[in-house]
Amino acid sequence: MGRHFSFMKQHQSIEDRIQCASELLSRDAGTFTSDVNSECKIRVVVDNMNNDFNKAFFAHPDRAFIFQDGKMAFIGATMLEQLKSPQKLATDHLRDWLEAYLTDSLSQ
């Protein structure tokens, strides 16, 4: 987290996936939750090892996240928010944030 990239190896078991999700929850409990009733945090879910949810719903990640110095610095638009501006790609907001961040960082 912070100035370092996190890397997780390909999950070999459901336990690996659950562990990875648990680590994400513990890193930023103010942003992420496993509570299905929460409407103010981003819910973290885990697909099974056959990726049945992904296959059934042709799921794609619909949000981008940037962690900076151990905190959530950027949360991309949800799929519903993206539908309001169909001319923009899901990554456009991410690119805008990164360009602004890099411009600020280089000017300091």
Side-chain angles (χ1 to χ4, degrees):
M1 305 255 305
R3 297 195 184 279
H4 304 282
F5 289 97
S6 295
F7 176 78
M8 299 289 179
K9 293 182 181 176
Q10 180 66 36
H11 305 140
Q12 300 299 312
S13 67
I14 193 67
E15 290 80 12
D16 289 348
R17 286 190 175 184
I18 293 169
Q19 178 63 34
C20 186
S22 295
E23 288 177 25
L24 178 62
L25 287 167
S26 68
R27 287 184 185 196
D28 194 344
T31 303
F32 298 105
T33 185
S34 59
D35 181 358
V36 298
N37 296 310
S38 177
E39 294 181 8
C40 61
K41 294 183 182 181
I42 300 166
R43 188 166 15 133
V44 175
V45 295
V46 176
D47 203 348
N48 65 28
M49 292 307 292
N50 292 325
N51 298 313
D52 289 337
F53 184 88
N54 181 44
K55 291 174 187 172
F57 297 100
F58 198 61
H60 291 282
D62 64 353
R63 297 182 104 172
F65 302 94
I66 296 177
F67 293 91
Q68 184 179 21
D69 299 323
K71 301 284 185 195
M72 183 66 66
F74 173 84
I75 302 174
T78 66
M79 192 59 88
L80 292 176
E81 291 166 336
Q82 291 173 31
L83 290 173
K84 293 176 186 175
S85 301
Q87 70 280 9
K88 287 194 146 214
L89 296 174
T91 54
D92 286 348
H93 295 108
L94 174 63
R95 184 179 342 99
D96 293 344
W97 188 94
L98 287 169
E99 287 174 351
Y101 174 76
L102 291 173
T103 299
D104 288 346
S105 295
L106 294 174
S107 66
Q108 293 179 5

